[in-house]
Amino acid sequence: KNVVDDILLLQKKYGIKGVQFRDPTFGLMRGYIEEFCNELKTRNVKIIWGMETRLDLLNETNLKTMFDAGLRNLNVGIETNNEEIAKLNKRGLVEENHQEKLIKFCNKLGIKVSAFYILGYEGDTIETARSTVKYAIKLNTLLARFSISTPYPGTGFYEQLKKENRILTEDFEKYTQFGLVFKHKNLTEDQINRLLNEAFRKYYFRPGYFFKFLKWKIRESLL
């Protein structure tokens, strides 16, 4: 209820037409999605909104509920599709069939999905990084963002690398997710930079992406 109050206040004060929620645990609290969407509809709040969350917190039912209440874009962190790499980096993977099913369902409904991937995780090799890109192409979301694994200060990852004397720089302005700031065990800085450039090139410069993008543009023009 308080969130909807804030949205109405922003609409009245600034005339906003959309809002993006940055909450990787959106939907974790049981019943929250239904309560939030019901509040929007009951109070006749007309707004387009998006959110960042995990796909294992969602299903077709609550996605439909959110779409009916104005959800139009979804940001999800997929990061890697390699179970061993995920375990090594203390990341939990979403079950692939569930993930792929929901992305297809979002596309059918009209929810744009932006997927985030990380290259240069601990244990990554040229082959596993390319496998991540291949999986991204398979999912074929409207937007794919590839970045380089970055150990932010204050995290366990940073402290472990510092303990191992593998931090290359403490100039935190360079911690942009687009440059290597630690000594990787399998990949050089040049290799990771090449992999990152290759990922964007392979993902966006292909017919499958061009046609998907074109279909979305046509779809939007008809709304």
Side-chain angles (χ1 to χ4, degrees), residues 75-89:
N75 296 341
V76 295
I78 294 176
E79 301 181 1
T80 178
N81 68 322
N82 187 297
E83 289 188 15
E84 293 305 315
I85 298 295
K87 287 179 183 178
L88 187 61
N89 291 271

Side-chain angles (χ1 to χ4, degrees), residues 82-100:
N82 187 297
E83 289 188 15
E84 293 305 315
I85 298 295
K87 287 179 183 178
L88 187 61
N89 291 271
K90 299 180 175 63
R91 312 301 293 178
L93 293 185
V94 177
E95 198 275 322
E96 281 194 9
N97 287 337
H98 177 78
Q99 187 162 256
E100 293 168 16

Side-chain angles (χ1 to χ4, degrees), residues 103-118:
I103 288 174
K104 288 178 181 177
F105 187 69
C106 284
N107 185 61
K108 181 181 177 181
L109 274 180
I111 299 172
K112 295 179 181 177
V113 178
S114 301
F116 303 150
Y117 303 90
I118 295 178

Side-chain angles (χ1 to χ4, degrees), residues 164-208:
E164 296 174 6
N165 197 31
R166 292 170 58 198
I167 295 293
L168 294 174
T169 177
E170 293 196 1
D171 179 358
F172 299 139
E173 289 187 359
K174 294 181 179 179
Y175 285 51
T176 62
Q177 296 187 336
F178 294 102
L180 189 65
V181 294
F182 69 98
K183 297 175 186 176
H184 198 279
K185 292 181 179 179
N186 300 324
L187 299 166
T188 66
E189 182 177 10
D190 183 63
Q191 284 175 321
I192 288 184
N193 288 338
R194 287 176 181 272
L195 285 166
L196 187 64
N197 290 331
E198 180 183 303
F200 281 108
R201 186 176 67 253
K202 283 188 172 181
Y203 192 87
Y204 288 105
F205 291 90
R206 58 190 172 87

